[in-house]
Amino acid sequence: MNHVAYARMDLCNPVSASALEAMLDRTDLGSGDRAAELGCGNGAAAGLLAARGLAVEAFERDPVLAAIARDRSQGVTVREGEADVLAAEGAPWRLLAALGSTGLGNFTRLAAWLEPGGWLLWGDLFWKGEPDPALNAVMGRPDYATDAGWRARGQAAGLELVAARISPDEDWAAYTGALEAAVAGWAAETPHHPDRERVQQRAALLLDYWRSAGRPALGFGLYLFRRP
């Protein structure tokens, strides 16, 4: 389903481009500074970084998503492979950005790949309370922290938290609406695709969760850390 939806969506997380821009405005990043996006998905966020004049490399292990990112992200070098391996090879970075890349959330490693004075822009889901077992049937067993947990990971890695933002309901509505529209548009254009029913069912399952049990259980946080 991700291949279908991400090809048509912009940012593929419940966060707005203006929120990312506001975070970047808090940094001292300048034209030509080296930046990497880890797990870039469709490349929308990487394109936003490049539009600010940064020298951006985007890493994505899924070959289909890497191809989508390559097609749509102007001024970005998209490399297919494991993001943590590629980031380590290219270190140090002035900025590391990761949105929805839960499995890469070892902040001690991320901090080690930053230049002194460099920045980590981390965005991910977080539990508002106890983990919801119903999510296991939807997305497996994700290793989400709490809001306080993400902040603590940065502190434990020696990073300074400069700013944090919790996505409001408007961001969630925009995200779920974009996902629904993307899948519906694809289904309308491909009425005989062999995966059409499976993709629609998967999207319906996710949307039902996000719009019901998921909203009380989960939030999305955007965190800007700086390496001293």
Side-chain angles (χ1 to χ4, degrees), residues 21-226:
E21 293 280 8
M23 287 291 185
L24 294 170
D25 287 343
R26 300 285 298 268
T27 73
D28 59 356
L29 293 166
S31 180
D33 280 343
R34 296 181 69 239
E37 188 188 4
L38 313 185
C40 71
N42 66 6
L48 183 151
L49 298 176
R52 295 179 69 100
L54 301 178
V56 182
E57 294 186 38
F59 308 138
E60 175 56 58
R61 68 181 178 182
D62 185 312
V64 175
L65 293 180
I68 292 171
R70 202 170 283 118
D71 287 342
R72 69 181 293 173
S73 301
Q74 299 297 316
V76 175
T77 299
V78 179
R79 299 179 61 191
E80 181 185 327
E82 295 295 334
D84 53 350
V85 173
L86 296 173
E89 290 175 352
W93 303 91
R94 187 68 178 157
L95 169 69
L96 288 175
L99 301 176
S101 296
T102 311
L104 299 174
N106 182 328
F107 283 17
T108 299
R109 288 195 307 170
L110 297 177
W113 300 336
L114 291 172
E115 298 177 3
W119 302 88
L120 170 64
L121 181 59
W122 178 264
D124 209 348
L125 295 165
F126 65 84
W127 293 115
K128 292 181 178 179
E130 290 297 316
D132 177 14
L135 188 62
N136 293 340
V138 181
M139 298 178 67
R141 297 180 179 273
D143 183 29
Y144 302 140
T146 61
D147 173 44
W150 287 131
R151 296 167 186 250
R153 286 196 197 188
Q155 183 179 21
L159 298 172
E160 172 193 359
L161 179 63
V162 175
R165 176 187 183 272
I166 306 304
S167 292
D169 288 343
E170 291 81 0
D171 286 0
W172 281 94
Y175 167 68
T176 55
L179 174 59
E180 186 172 40
V183 173
W186 172 82
E189 293 175 9
T190 58
H192 305 298
H193 196 287
D195 293 331
R196 184 173 183 269
E197 183 175 355
R198 179 183 61 81
V199 169
Q200 288 180 301
Q201 289 176 346
R202 174 63 176 167
L205 180 67
L206 282 172
L207 287 166
D208 180 65
Y209 182 80
W210 292 136
R211 290 169 171 168
S212 56
R215 288 300 295 116
L218 288 165
F220 189 92
L222 190 63
Y223 308 92
L224 179 65
F225 295 96
R226 182 178 180 274

